[in-house]
């Protein structure tokens, strides 16, 4: 086959169920063919049409001439001693994006990317420092899950298409998912499709820096769980950390969260909070955070992420004492707050600064108790001083 013919082939990973039905109709095939195809592609991760044994031979021949199933290909793969896996996918033009799999006792979470680079320019984010290259296509977004699920199943000897290794997907890797809304929504529909990955809305999370209009659009099109990168309780500070705040200030963001909660699969929003030493890590900052979510009436949980310095950042890591005291303050005010435990340290598993937001919830209760104990000791010591 010539290069020209190859570029004209349709990549079936770009279609959600409706798109695949329309495409099948356009080549004179019945709608049920689309369902069969979806199951082969997304439930079994099969890319060779000849292996799709319940498809008519004539249909398979047609597929071979017109289509491919082509995920992005990893250029590097690393395995951590704690079971975390990272793939670096080539998306052409010298760009690569990351996906990270984090195994836990009760779930397997895959963190995927939605853009090559990012235009949002958050001060504390290494991806933001790289600038924006381009949006990923639907096939490049879905392909990360397709590839990871296939590899993990192979490794674990899983052959039953109903047994899955990845139970949760979070869009917290490179990029701002809501700036690539059409492709992200199509990908989400494939994740939720019973003939596709069959994930429940609660098990798929989109993380945004706070694009208010797009939050509303996501609510309409595919209301999965929502995580919002907050990082500051006031416009004054958030303006400095996240340029998006100048366009969509905190009060507008909180209103969008309230609207989202009407359709969200969970009854709370997760607020991500990167803790930056000496900038947003004081107990007063914690109090302002509590005051904000109370005033704005947004039921929420907090995920605290101690900043991890990278070469071009002038920002500092918070001390462990400050992180625990901050966390304890939120807990005391009645809010669930957890401190992210870094996973896959030995393979540098964080995509940008925020990929590591996929926090380790293993033995969450014990960890929470431990955090509280440590915080109580620290507070006691402070009080004595
Ligand atoms: S934190 Fe997220 S939205 Fe901000 S620059 Fe980094 S990848 Fe983009």
């Amino acid at each position: 086959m010539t290069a020209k013919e190859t570029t004209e082939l349709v990549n079936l990973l770009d279609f959600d169920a409706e798109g695949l039905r329309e495409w099948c109709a356009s080549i004179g095939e019945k709608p049920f063919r689309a369902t069969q195809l979806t199951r082969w592609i997304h439930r079994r991760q099969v890319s060779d049409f000849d292996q799709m044994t319940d498809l008519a031979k004539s249909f398979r021949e047609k597929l071979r001439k017109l289509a491919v199933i082509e995920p992005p290909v990893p250029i590097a793969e690393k395995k951590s001693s704690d079971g975390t896996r990272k793939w670096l996918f080539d998306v052409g033009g010298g760009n690569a994006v990351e996906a990270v799999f984090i195994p836990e006792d009760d779930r397997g979470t895959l963190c995927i990317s939605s853009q090559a680079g990012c235009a949002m320019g958050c001060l504390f984010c290494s991806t933001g420092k790289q600038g924006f290259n381009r949006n990923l296509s639907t096939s490049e977004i879905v392909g990360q899950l397709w590839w990871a699920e296939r590899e993990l199943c192979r490794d674990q000897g899983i052959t039953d298409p109903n047994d899955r290794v990845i139970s949760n997907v979070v869009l917290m890797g490179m990029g701002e998912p809501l700036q690539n809304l059409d492709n992200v929504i199509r990908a989400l529909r494939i994740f939720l499709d019973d003939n596709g990955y069959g994930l429940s809305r609660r098990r798929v999370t989109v993380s945004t820096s706070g694009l208010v209009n797009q939050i509303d659009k996501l609510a309409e099109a595919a209301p999965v769980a929502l995580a919002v990168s907050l990082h500051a309780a006031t416009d004054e500070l958030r303006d400095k950390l996240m340029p998006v705040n100048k366009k969509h200030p905190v009060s507008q963001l909180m209103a969008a969260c309230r609207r989202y909660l009407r359709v969200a699969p969970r009854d709370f929003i997760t607020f991500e909070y990167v803790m930056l030493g000496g900038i947003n890590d004081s107990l007063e900052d914690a109090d302002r955070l509590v005051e904000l979510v109370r005033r704005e009436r947004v039921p929420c949980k907090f995920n605290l992420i101690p900043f991890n310095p990278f070469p071009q950042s002038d920002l500092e890591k918070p001390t462990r004492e400050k992180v625990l005291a901050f966390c304890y303050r939120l807990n005391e005010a009645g809010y669930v707050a957890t401190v992210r435990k870094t996973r896959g340290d030995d393979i540098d598993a964080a995509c940008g600064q925020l990929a590591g937001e996929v926090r380790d919830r293993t033995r969450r209760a014990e960890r929470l108790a431990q955090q509280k104990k440590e915080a109580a000791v620290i507070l006691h010591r402070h009080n004595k001083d």
Side-chain angles (χ1 to χ4, degrees), residues 243-310:
V244 66
N245 198 68
K246 293 189 181 130
K247 196 161 176 219
H248 302 295
V250 173
S251 61
Q252 283 184 20
L253 178 56
M254 292 297 129
C257 290
R258 279 197 304 275
R259 289 194 295 278
Y260 196 86
L261 280 166
R262 289 185 208 138
V263 293
R266 296 177 182 275
D267 56 4
F268 61 88
I269 299 286
T270 302
F271 286 126
E272 310 287 348
Y273 193 95
V274 170
M275 295 192 64
L276 305 160
I279 292 184
N280 66 354
D281 61 345
S282 69
L283 291 179
E284 291 73 32
D285 289 307
D287 293 340
R288 279 191 279 272
L289 212 46
V290 169
E291 200 210 308
L292 171 73
V293 294
R294 278 195 184 143
R295 187 180 68 234
E296 296 284 351
R297 301 180 322 280
V298 178
C300 61
K301 290 185 180 177
F302 294 99
N303 181 29
L304 306 177
I305 307 153
F307 177 68
N308 200 11
F310 53 92

Side-chain angles (χ1 to χ4, degrees), residues 118-122 124-129 173-176 209 229 231 242 353-354:
C118 183
M120 303 309 290
C122 303
F124 46 81
C125 174
S126 61
T127 301
K129 296 268 180 216
M174 287 183 176
E176 162 56 69
S209 59
S229 297
H231 313 315
M242 306 178 74
Q353 177 65 30
L354 295 186

Side-chain angles (χ1 to χ4, degrees), residues 128-199:
K129 296 268 180 216
Q130 295 166 26
F132 176 67
N133 291 305
R134 69 172 177 84
N135 282 332
L136 297 189
S137 64
T138 303
S139 56
E140 288 167 334
I141 300 169
V142 174
Q144 296 169 60
L145 174 56
W146 188 95
W147 188 281
E149 184 70 49
R150 190 182 67 161
E151 289 302 295
L152 294 164
C153 282
R154 276 183 184 171
D155 278 8
Q156 297 183 23
I158 294 172
T159 50
D160 183 341
N162 296 316
D163 287 346
R164 320 290 288 186
V165 181
I166 297 166
S167 61
N168 294 56
V169 174
V170 295
L171 279 89
M172 288 184 185
M174 287 183 176
E176 162 56 69
L178 300 189
Q179 269 206 327
N180 185 12
L181 200 61
D182 290 347
N183 290 332
V184 163
I185 284 173
R186 217 170 289 129
L188 293 175
R189 286 183 174 145
I190 299 167
F191 299 163
L192 304 179
D193 186 346
D194 283 343
N195 294 308
Y197 296 86
L199 298 171

